[in-house]
Amino acid sequence: MTAQLPPIPPQFKSLQHHLRTAQEHDKRDQVVAYYCRLYAMQNGMKIDSKSPECRKFLSKLMDQLEIQKKELGDCDSITQEIVGSAHVENYALKMFLYADNEDRAGRFHKNMIKSFYTASLLLDALTVFGELSEENIQHRKYARWKATYIHNCLKNGETPESGPVGFEGEDYNEDDDGTSASTEAPERSSFTYKPGNMPASNYTGIHIPPGAHAPANTPAEVPHSSGGMRLTPEDFAQAQKYCKYAGSALQYEDVNTAVENLQKALKLLTASRE
């Protein structure tokens, strides 16, 4: 990444952590880095595109995006929205799962806090493709709350409680350190994150991505098993490929190829149930 950004204007303070996450992922996952910058660009334009300092900053950010887009070339995750969206979502949920597993095992540390918080930032970035699903809205809110809660407990010398105990849509503010700080009088939200809806039950076995801040002795992957079904990492990768091919076919209105690949993915994922 050759284009350097000028100091971030105060108006864009809310975007500083997304840009920092982009920088951290330049060597880990350029696709993730690209969409974090694109999110910052789109939201920066909404915040202030007229003042001289903001225009200068956005211009440099646009240069970064153009350079990175050229570096990525014909990468499917850049040229096809459906592939890019799946890439960012999978990466965010992998980081979420790592942090959630650490939390439920009672292992509270800075890396898991950062993974929770970074997952929430990546779910922010996912909005460049459209509105988040209700499930991902809850994941994002829970991840930010959990990062806040554990950060404050450790700072105050307290032992955090694992899982969603005490979470009923706490409010938070972002501080300058990249973690979130609770408000003194949090408001009630419109939903409660119930233990039975925890993402771990939906995403068991998602691989921890490079750079997810997992300690060296953390297993890189955990096989998925549920109700007698056991899928290998290779099975998941192949199923993702079939879905990607189906998405590509739909872009060219090739329904037969799309259906064929979706059927292959479905057969792979359900074969061991039969």
Side-chain angles (χ1 to χ4, degrees):
M1 187 64 60
T2 56
Q4 296 299 316
L5 292 175
I8 188 167
Q11 297 95 313
F12 295 161
K13 183 180 179 181
S14 63
L15 305 175
Q16 63 182 340
H17 303 307
H18 301 87
L19 291 169
R20 185 184 302 167
T21 299
Q23 189 174 15
E24 290 174 350
H25 282 79
D26 277 332
K27 293 183 178 180
R28 297 175 186 164
D29 191 311
Q30 283 201 52
V31 171
V32 168
Y34 176 84
Y35 285 114
C36 284
R37 289 192 173 93
L38 183 59
Y39 171 86
M41 181 73 192
Q42 291 181 352
N43 284 270
M45 293 288 289
K46 295 175 185 176
I47 294 169
D48 186 348
S49 61
K50 296 182 179 180
S51 64
E53 68 272 24
C54 288
R55 287 176 65 88
K56 179 181 178 181
F57 185 87
L58 291 172
S59 176
K60 291 295 184 181
L61 181 56
M62 189 175 292
D63 290 343
Q64 279 194 347
L65 283 165
E66 287 301 318
I67 291 170
Q68 195 166 18
K69 194 171 184 178
K70 288 180 180 178
E71 289 175 350
L72 290 167
D74 295 328
C75 174
D76 287 347
S77 293
I78 300 300
T79 60
Q80 301 179 41
E81 282 195 0
I82 189 171
V83 181
S85 176
H87 184 105
V88 175
E89 182 179 33
N90 288 340
Y91 194 100
L93 294 176
K94 288 171 187 177
M95 295 194 78
F96 185 107
L97 179 64
Y98 161 67
D100 186 53
N101 285 341
E102 291 293 283
D103 173 49
R104 288 174 175 275
R107 294 188 291 264
F108 306 108
H109 49 84
K110 290 182 178 179
N111 282 346
M112 65 94 76
I113 294 172
K114 184 168 185 179
S115 290
F116 263 135
Y117 191 69
T118 301
S120 77
L121 296 176
L122 296 182
L123 289 171
D124 282 342
L126 193 61
T127 62
V128 303
F129 302 103
E131 294 184 3
L132 292 181
S133 66
E134 181 60 31
E135 188 175 40
N136 280 335
I137 290 173
Q138 292 195 21
H139 291 171
R140 179 177 63 179
K141 195 176 187 75
Y142 181 80
R144 275 205 174 101
W145 170 76
K146 201 68 184 181
T148 299
Y149 168 69
I150 299 173
H151 170 76
N152 288 340
C153 282
L154 296 183
K155 183 175 68 174
N156 296 329
E158 301 171 357
T159 301
E161 291 192 64
S162 297
V165 177
F167 177 67
E168 292 183 344
E170 301 283 341
D171 249 357
Y172 51 81
N173 286 327
E174 294 176 7
D175 64 23
D176 293 333
D177 297 323
T179 56
S180 46
S182 296
T183 57
E184 294 183 1
E187 298 177 357
R188 306 280 292 192
S189 77
S190 59
F191 69 91
T192 300
Y193 210 72
K194 298 179 181 179
N197 295 330
M198 283 301 295
S201 64
N202 298 329
Y203 299 104
T204 302
I206 290 180
H207 310 170
I208 299 168
H213 312 291
N217 60 351
T218 302
E221 53 193 39
V222 183
H224 177 71
S225 60
S226 176
M229 180 174 68
R230 187 174 185 86
L231 296 173
T232 66
E234 290 74 20
D235 290 331
F236 283 116
Q238 187 61 49
Q240 286 182 334
K241 286 183 180 179
Y242 286 143
C243 291
K244 184 178 75 172
Y245 298 153
S248 299
L250 287 174
Q251 285 197 325
Y252 295 97
E253 300 182 356
D254 185 351
V255 176
N256 290 336
T257 300
V259 170
E260 180 182 347
N261 280 285
L262 288 173
Q263 287 176 334
K264 287 180 179 178
L266 185 61
K267 182 178 179 180
L268 177 63
L269 294 173
T270 60
S272 55
R273 289 181 180 271
E274 299 172 353

